[in-house]
Amino acid sequence: MGAQLASAEAKIAVIDIQAAILGSEQAKERIAELKKQYAPDQNEIKALAQDIQKLQKKMEQDAAVMSESEKKKLAKDVEDKAVDYQFKVKKIQKSQNESQQELLAELSPKLEQAIQSIIGEGTYSLILERRAAIFVAPEHDITKKVTEKLNLNR
């Protein structure tokens, strides 16, 4: 019975740390800057994809009238562009992941302050990472509350 009373008094909350950080105004501003920074690379990737599609379409449409050497050259062009495309996609994904990790690391101290502020209010006796729980009722999720504190502590 004592354990039941103790658990009834405990107030448990969960937080999605990544969502709290990425939902903050500072993170949104930084993400917008990063999108601008990566826009030329994204455009280059789109252009490469379009080039590949055009070459593939040309291969399909003109295959009957092309010589074997023309077919081989066109196939090699498609293959070279596809390799370049894959390389650039991986490069930009790696760079974006690194930028996101830098952002998370940069805002982690502020996140810690926001969580400590909530703990200091004496409202919660246990706060867990959202991914540690299979189910959480919405009233126990403090992600939005932490994001609001992050926005106040800019």
Side-chain angles (χ1 to χ4, degrees):
M1 186 163 131
Q4 288 175 338
L5 286 175
S7 66
E9 293 173 16
K11 185 145 184 204
I12 300 171
V14 296
I15 178 174
D16 183 336
I17 292 173
Q18 188 171 356
I21 289 176
L22 295 178
S24 72
E25 291 303 317
Q26 188 173 356
K28 288 178 182 178
E29 290 168 6
R30 184 80 176 279
I31 290 167
E33 290 171 14
L34 290 172
K35 282 184 180 181
K36 286 180 189 173
Q37 176 184 335
Y38 291 120
D41 293 330
Q42 294 286 5
N43 292 337
E44 187 178 348
I45 288 170
K46 285 179 188 175
L48 263 175
Q50 290 171 346
D51 288 349
I52 292 167
Q53 287 176 342
K54 286 177 189 174
L55 290 173
Q56 288 173 333
K57 189 175 181 180
K58 182 177 180 175
M59 276 178 56
E60 290 172 12
Q61 290 176 343
D62 299 345
V65 294
M66 295 173 81
S67 68
E68 280 303 310
S69 64
E70 288 175 322
K71 289 179 187 176
K72 284 182 182 179
K73 182 186 180 314
L74 198 53
K76 181 165 179 13
D77 287 348
V78 169
E79 185 179 329
D80 289 346
K81 286 191 182 286
V83 167
D84 193 27
Y85 174 85
Q86 290 173 347
F87 172 77
K88 289 182 182 199
V89 166
K90 285 181 183 176
K91 181 180 170 187
I92 196 169
Q93 285 174 340
K94 181 180 180 217
S95 183
Q96 287 174 332
N97 286 340
E98 288 171 357
S99 295
Q100 184 176 3
Q101 291 305 314
E102 288 171 11
L103 177 62
L104 293 173
E106 179 185 324
L107 293 179
S108 285
K110 292 179 181 180
L111 173 77
E112 184 64 31
Q113 287 176 342
I115 293 172
Q116 289 301 323
S117 172
I118 290 170
I119 292 170
E121 293 169 2
T123 315
Y124 300 101
S125 55
L126 177 65
I127 299 176
L128 300 170
E129 167 62 47
R130 173 64 182 97
R131 287 176 279 226
I134 295 170
F135 169 78
V136 177
E139 64 267 16
H140 295 291
D141 189 336
I142 61 167
T143 303
K144 188 174 182 178
K145 188 174 185 178
V146 171
T147 300
E148 289 168 357
K149 291 254 184 206
L150 279 172
N151 289 338
L152 290 175
N153 297 335
R154 291 188 81 186

